[in-house]
Amino acid sequence: MKRRIIIGWAAAWALVALRAPLVWASPFQFEVDPFYAETMLKGRFGASPVYFFIGPSPTMEKGLLAYIQSASQTLDVCVFDMNLPAVAQALLDAQKRGVKVRVVLDRDNAAKAYDIEDELEEMEKRGMLTLAHNRSGLMHNKFMIADGIRVWTGSYNFTRNCSHFNDNHAIVLENKELAENYEMEWKEISEGRHGKRFSYPTPHPELEIGGTPIRNCFTPEDDTRGAIVAEMAKATNEIAMMAFSFTDSAMTDAIRAGLKRGVRAIVLLDSGLAKHPGANTKELEEMGAHVRMSPGVRLHHKVIVIDRETVVLGSANFSGSAFDRNDENVLIIKAPHFAQAMLREAIRCWRAEPYWITKWRTPIPAGM
C-alpha cells in the first residue's frame, strides 16, 4: 500500500529548486493576498516553469491579465465564454502595442456578452475576432498561446462567474511542441473545421516537458475517452475526481473495475448536474464509490488525480458530448508533486462549507 501523504506543491517544489537556481523571469509579478496564498502556485518541470491558478479567487483574473500582458509578439486566444471588461480591454491593448492578437470566441456566448459588447465590436473592426459555431456540439475550449511557446489552458472561462464564484483551474506551461499542438487546434477552429472528418492531426500527442511525460488530446478527433480510461485502468490505489458533468459510461465502468481491484474511488460532483436525469450519481454510489455533491456555487473542475501521481485536466467534461462532439482539450500529466497540489484542491472542495455561509461570517464595522 502506498503511503497516503499530502504535501503542498510549493513546498515540494522548493525541495526541487534546491538542486538548481531559478533562472526564469516570471510573467506573473503581482501580489497575492495571503488569504489566497494557494491560488497561485509556481514550480518547474525540469528547467521549464509551470504556473497553476485556482479559483474562485481574485488571482484568476489577475493571472489572466498578466498572461495577456506578457505576450510580446503573438497571442492566440480560443475561449468558450468571455465577459470580463478588463480582459477584453487587455486584448485590445496588446494589439495596440504591436502584438499580433487573434481571438476565437463562441458565437452564441459572444451575442450575450453585453458587458464587453463595445470591446468585441472594436475587435471586429480591427480584424482580431472570429466567432466559432460548432453545429454538432460546443466550441468549449479555454486556451491561449503566447509567443509560440507559452500555453494557458484549463477549465476557466474568462467570465465573472468563473473568476469569483466557480471552482476552477488554469495551468501555464512553456514548451514549443505543446504550443504547436494548441496552435493547430486554434487554426482548425478559426477555419470552422469542426468534427473528426475536418480536423487536423495533433502534431505532438505525446511529449515531455523537463522530463515530465504529458499526453495532449483534442476532441473529437483524438481518442480522449480512451486515453483517460487507460490511465484509470492503471490505478492501484486511488482515483479522485472532480467533475462538473459526469455521464460517460466508459469512465463509469473504469471506476467500477478499479473498485473491484481494491482501488478507492472518490468522486466530487457539481450539486446541480449531479441530479440531472442523465447523471450516473446513483450508479456510482451503489457500486461503492465515495460520492459527494459540492457545496459551492458551481464545481467547474474537470479533473482526475490517479494514485497521487497522474493528473487529468482541461476543458472537457466527462460526457459523451465532450468526447464525441465538442471542441475540447485535455492534458494528462505524470507529475507527483503537481498531483499532490491538485489533490489539495480536491480536499478543499470536498470539505468546503456552503458558500452562502461566508457572507454571514463577514465582520460588520462597529456602528453600522
Side-chain angles (χ1 to χ4, degrees):
M1 182 66 69
K2 296 180 180 178
R3 293 177 59 202
R4 297 187 180 278
I5 57 173
I6 300 175
I7 57 177
W9 193 38
W13 277 16
L15 297 176
V16 177
L18 291 177
R19 301 177 188 173
L22 302 182
V23 294
W24 72 85
S26 169
F28 303 103
Q29 300 290 344
F30 57 84
E31 186 175 345
V32 177
D33 188 310
F35 184 78
Y36 298 103
E38 288 199 51
T39 62
M40 183 176 77
L41 303 177
K42 306 175 186 179
R44 289 183 298 167
F45 292 162
S48 181
V50 183
Y51 305 91
F52 187 56
F53 300 91
I54 303 172
S57 71
T59 312
M60 297 298 294
E61 186 173 347
K62 287 182 179 180
L64 179 57
L65 290 170
Y67 181 93
I68 293 169
Q69 291 160 4
S70 75
S72 61
Q73 299 176 25
T74 61
L75 179 64
D76 288 335
V77 180
C78 184
V79 63
F80 176 60
D81 200 3
M82 176 171 64
N83 64 20
L84 293 168
V87 171
Q89 187 60 51
L91 293 170
L92 289 168
D93 292 345
Q95 195 258 4
K96 189 174 181 179
R97 69 172 186 268
V99 178
K100 182 180 179 181
V101 180
R102 302 184 296 181
V103 178
V104 173
L105 179 62
D106 175 74
R107 185 189 71 179
D108 294 340
N109 283 325
K112 298 179 289 185
Y114 307 117
D115 289 342
I116 60 169
E117 57 185 353
D118 292 342
E119 289 86 352
L120 292 181
E121 183 178 346
E122 181 63 24
M123 288 183 196
E124 284 190 300
K125 288 180 181 177
R126 298 188 191 181
M128 296 167 54
L129 181 63
T130 299
L131 299 180
H133 180 54
N134 182 342
R135 295 179 181 178
S136 63
L138 298 174
M139 195 296 290
H140 198 241
N141 284 303
K142 309 102 169 40
F143 69 79
M144 299 183 286
I145 315 104
D147 298 330
I149 190 169
R150 201 159 47 254
V151 175
W152 167 297
T153 190
S155 67
Y156 172 68
N157 288 305
F158 305 167
T159 65
R160 183 176 296 104
N161 282 344
C162 275
S163 297
H164 303 301
F165 299 106
N166 302 347
D167 296 310
N168 269 302
H169 67 270
I171 189 170
V172 177
L173 299 164
E174 289 194 10
N175 179 269
K176 287 187 177 180
E177 289 185 343
L178 187 69
E180 286 175 9
N181 289 348
Y182 280 90
E183 288 287 11
M184 187 63 72
E185 178 73 358
W186 190 95
K187 174 179 168 64
E188 178 183 302
I189 293 172
S190 69
E191 294 176 356
R193 301 173 68 94
H194 305 284
K196 287 185 178 181
R197 286 190 303 160
F198 306 106
S199 63
Y200 294 120
T202 303
H204 312 285
E206 296 185 8
L207 53 98
E208 287 191 1
I209 300 180
T212 297
I214 295 178
R215 176 82 179 267
N216 188 198
C217 301
F218 297 89
T219 72
E221 58 265 36
D222 297 331
D223 184 15
T224 305
R225 175 191 288 110
I228 294 173
V229 168
E231 292 300 326
M232 295 172 73
K234 298 174 186 176
T236 60
N237 185 24
E238 181 182 81
I239 297 172
M241 178 184 296
M242 294 186 287
F244 176 53
S245 174
F246 186 13
T247 61
D248 188 72
S249 58
M251 291 182 62
T252 304
D253 289 343
I255 289 180
R256 181 182 290 106
L259 290 167
K260 290 180 180 179
R261 298 195 305 271
V263 174
R264 183 170 70 157
I266 303 165
V267 183
L268 182 62
L269 301 170
D270 176 73
S271 57
L273 288 185
K275 299 171 185 176
H276 188 277
N280 54 10
T281 308
K282 186 176 180 181
E283 186 178 359
L284 290 166
E285 291 172 336
E286 290 176 347
M287 70 175 65
H290 301 277
V291 180
R292 185 174 184 184
M293 312 304 136
S294 169
V297 175
R298 174 169 288 180
L299 181 84
H300 200 243
H301 287 303
K302 306 93 167 56
V303 168
I304 310 172
V305 182
I306 301 168
D307 287 342
R308 309 193 178 194
E309 295 179 350
T310 300
V311 179
V312 179
L313 60 82
S315 69
N317 291 304
F318 306 135
S319 67
S321 296
F323 295 142
D324 300 327
R325 293 188 292 278
N326 293 357
D327 295 304
E328 310 269 11
N329 72 94
V330 168
L331 294 172
I332 302 174
I333 304 173
K334 296 181 187 254
H337 295 327
F338 178 47
Q340 295 285 4
M342 200 71 252
L343 192 61
R344 286 177 65 88
E345 169 65 0
I347 292 169
R348 273 190 293 266
C349 292
W350 183 279
R351 294 181 176 179
E353 295 175 319
Y355 282 30
W356 55 264
I357 291 177
T358 307
K359 172 182 176 180
W360 303 108
R361 288 184 174 173
T362 302
I364 305 297
M368 295 293 289

